[in-house]
Amino acid sequence: CLKCYDFSLVDDHAAQFPRHIVTSLDQLAYDLTSPWDSETEQFRAIFTWLHHNIAYDADAFFCGNVQASTPESTLKSGLAVCDGYAGLFASLAERSGLQAMKVTGHGKGFGYIPTESGGPVPQYQGNHAWNCALMDGEWRLIDSCWGAGAIDSSGFRRSFTPTWFMFSNAEFGKRHYPEDSAYQLISDEEGGPVSWEDYILEPEGPLLFNDFHTNNFSAQFVQPSTKNIQGGTWTSFHLFKLCEHLSTAEADNFVYLISLPDGNRTPFALNDSGGWSATVFVPAGEGEVSLFYVTQINGKDAKGLTVEEYNAAVGRKAMYFGGLCRWGL
């Protein structure tokens, strides 16, 4: 299963080849992929190397001064926008004997503003690039640019986000729309192909923080699935791992909490569907509802903390928290 496979050996290997010591693209491709038997591991090594060695060229992006790039120029500068990432990914794959292509289209990334309900359908406009890759007999979609980090108003933040290597094509398509619909790669059983109208008008979901992805939660099944929720009602919140193979045991997880605008926090409990749930009364008014988790307690890693231990520690022991996702009211 791609979503729960342990790529730590591949990732550690890919980190051993800093850009400044690379002598050629051919040698880099060989060094990254030759130790691995499967195409999936070989592609993962390329994906991870790009995170460590290529930074998003935020200055050029914000200044509107993005220049055309080649794989060689991207390697030399260590800077790229999405097209540069996708081009270098495809070049390294080809030099390794792998099959990969650059795909262009629309991405719901930085600066994306959802269409208001009832508003006209925006015209298609391409703004992003990614890859499709033949991995051990299956064509899959990969975004090494978004996997390397993210940009905000202050610039580029390097942050490894491997979900953009392991998403199903249907999940990937929630935020990517290819110019050529053949590159959606979404089967009829998964609801594909998707029209531009359905893609661009799909209601926005809750804000997901990077810790949501690094803790291997499913963006597809988090509930409520909308950006905003109704106050003054009882609301059920649900959280699931990326796949059924990932452990939900207390020893392998954290205490997850719903935080309301009034400061009340309610721990999640395991449900019968293999995830976590909490049902709380969300007060009326403005504000935000957030999903947190306890990262440290008394200076120690809080993984394995039970809800009972958390309740006993509230107000008595120092705790640190990480954010997973947020809803508006």
Side-chain angles (χ1 to χ4, degrees), residues 1 21 36 51 58 66 71-72 102 120 132 145 183 197 204 210 221-222 227 234 264 282 306 312 316 319 323:
C1 175
I21 70 167
W36 316 111
H51 155 69
V66 175
E72 289 79 10
K102 182 172 69 175
C132 68
C145 177
Y183 288 111
E197 181 176 355
E204 191 176 8
N210 191 58
F221 296 113
V222 62
K227 178 181 179 181
W234 287 90
N264 286 327
V282 178
T306 68
R316 296 180 175 86
M319 297 187 201

Side-chain angles (χ1 to χ4, degrees), residues 56-251:
Y56 192 89
D57 194 349
D59 289 342
F61 174 79
F62 286 122
C63 293
N65 189 33
V66 175
Q67 303 294 316
S69 65
T70 64
E72 289 79 10
S73 66
T74 299
L75 175 65
K76 182 178 180 180
S77 68
L79 295 171
V81 294
C82 55
D83 189 77
Y85 278 94
L88 182 51
F89 183 97
S91 178
L92 289 171
E94 180 182 359
R95 294 165 191 270
S96 303
L98 302 169
Q99 295 186 61
M101 290 172 284
K102 182 172 69 175
V103 181
T104 57
H106 182 275
K108 295 179 180 178
F110 177 79
Y112 168 68
I113 300 176
T115 304
E116 293 185 8
S117 178
V121 179
Q123 288 188 338
Y124 167 82
Q125 185 175 7
N127 63 359
H128 193 41
W130 56 94
N131 295 98
C132 68
L134 182 60
M135 301 199 309
D136 298 308
E138 181 180 3
W139 284 101
R140 300 187 66 95
L141 300 169
I142 299 170
D143 192 331
S144 57
C145 177
W146 289 1
I151 59 169
D152 55 28
S153 57
S154 62
F156 174 69
R157 294 179 292 105
R158 195 185 300 274
S159 177
F160 191 47
T161 310
T163 47
W164 293 113
F165 181 83
M166 63 183 65
F167 273 140
S168 70
N169 294 336
E171 291 169 325
F172 193 94
K174 297 290 185 180
R175 291 181 59 188
H176 297 75
Y177 189 86
E179 183 176 348
D180 183 346
S181 61
Y183 288 111
Q184 287 188 27
L185 305 179
I186 303 174
S187 66
D188 293 339
E189 293 76 15
E190 294 177 301
V194 178
S195 69
W196 166 253
E197 181 176 355
D198 287 342
Y199 162 81
I200 201 65
L201 295 183
E202 182 175 16
E204 191 176 8
L207 175 63
L208 304 180
F209 300 115
N210 191 58
D211 280 10
F212 184 94
H213 300 294
T214 57
N215 280 277
N216 295 317
F217 288 115
S218 170
Q220 187 175 15
F221 296 113
V222 62
Q223 294 290 332
S225 61
T226 55
K227 178 181 179 181
N228 297 309
I229 56 179
Q230 180 67 44
T233 62
W234 287 90
T235 303
S236 292
F237 297 84
H238 303 281
L239 186 65
F240 295 89
K241 290 289 188 177
L242 277 170
C243 76
E244 67 273 15
H245 306 120
L246 292 167
S247 173
T248 58
E250 283 184 337

